[in-house]
Amino acid sequence: MCDTFVALGNATRDGSVIFGKNSDREPNEAHQLVLIPRAEHPANTEVTCTYISIPQVEKTNAILLAKPFWIWGAEMGANEFGVVIGNEAVFTQVPYDKKPGLIGMDFLRLALERAESASEALEEIIQLLEIYGQGGNCGCSHEIFYHNSFLIADRQSAWVLETAGKHWAAERVKDVRSISNVISIGAVWDRASEDLISHAVAKGWCKGEEDFNFSQCY
């Protein structure tokens, strides 16, 4: 298992935010620390992620990444504005898209490059997920496919974002929170994709809003 946790300032002795993550990647898969400076990009250009290219933005933030050597994105990282993100694999009932696409680690890097706060990073991942979905092999020496969850924090706030295909739910962190390799958001959340409940009903996973639980259904 890999795990990510955050403790906000209202839960720490000195008022600081504590964020940490461990990674359970393959034993012989080198994990790099990479510092990428702030940059400006020409109009109408694209950024090549692990498998696909998408439109580039005008400016990207300086970022520090801890990443598998062969992947464009990262399992954890921080940017110049104090935004930090950790990524977790989650396994769901929604079929995995095995075609090359954006993987969870790509979403993480794109959000760090483009956002100046935890809420902006949350919005960035949601928008990219709804446009491109998620898909592609995430294993180095063997194939593995999964969906993704994220713990996103800055100096004042934090969010949990958990996904199943293009379906998602997000929970604002109140004090201390952790995520691992399972969906942890249940019947209470702060934001969610429009079809989160209706899709579960259509699949027969629940009867309706009265008995819907994201973790149990998906």
Side-chain angles (χ1 to χ4, degrees):
M1 302 282 283
C2 57
D3 309 275
T4 307
F5 84 95
V6 66
L8 295 177
N10 62 346
T12 61
R13 181 174 297 176
D14 62 358
S16 62
V17 175
I18 301 173
F19 185 94
K21 174 175 165 59
N22 72 312
S23 178
D24 62 353
R25 302 292 303 182
E26 297 174 26
N28 293 318
E29 180 185 55
H31 217 69
Q32 300 174 328
L33 281 176
V34 181
L35 180 62
I36 302 169
R38 185 176 182 86
E40 296 185 4
H41 308 278
N44 301 316
T45 58
E46 293 193 332
V47 54
T48 301
C49 303
T50 303
Y51 295 119
I52 66 170
S53 297
I54 67 171
Q56 180 61 284
V57 294
E58 182 181 350
K59 295 180 181 180
T60 50
N61 305 323
I63 57 174
L64 175 65
L65 302 177
K67 61 186 293 295
F69 73 97
W70 63 278
I71 288 174
W72 180 82
E75 282 220 338
M76 62 196 91
N79 72 16
E80 61 182 295
F81 295 99
V83 180
V84 292
I85 308 177
N87 159 256
E88 303 284 334
V90 293
F91 301 91
T92 78
Q93 296 198 76
V94 176
Y96 305 114
D97 188 351
K98 297 184 178 182
K99 298 189 303 293
L102 290 178
I103 60 175
M105 288 167 275
D106 294 336
F107 289 114
L108 185 151
R109 176 171 172 175
L110 288 164
L112 289 175
E113 287 187 339
R114 301 177 179 198
E116 297 184 13
S117 67
S119 59
E120 286 185 10
L122 171 71
E123 195 63 40
E124 188 68 40
I125 296 174
I126 290 170
Q127 289 180 3
L128 291 166
L129 179 68
E130 292 183 339
I131 293 170
Y132 299 101
Q134 54 185 319
N137 173 43
C138 297
C140 179
S141 61
H142 66 279
E143 288 190 340
I144 183 170
F145 302 90
Y146 49 76
H147 296 138
N148 294 271
S149 68
F150 305 88
L151 186 52
I152 308 164
D154 58 27
R155 293 179 178 90
Q156 286 80 38
S157 63
W159 284 87
V160 172
L161 172 64
E162 297 183 329
T163 74
K166 285 191 173 184
H167 313 285
W168 58 270
E171 175 189 329
R172 187 187 294 274
V173 176
K174 297 178 176 63
D175 39 40
V176 178
R177 188 68 157 83
S178 65
I179 59 174
S180 190
N181 295 124
V182 295
I183 291 176
S184 62
I185 296 174
V188 179
W189 58 84
D190 294 288
R191 296 182 59 186
S193 52
E194 290 184 4
D195 63 346
L196 187 69
I197 297 177
S198 61
H199 181 75
V201 172
K203 290 292 185 181
W205 300 338
C206 68
K207 295 178 181 178
E209 186 173 349
E210 66 277 4
D211 68 335
F212 176 79
N213 181 295
F214 185 34
S215 177
Q216 292 176 9
C217 288
Y218 279 81

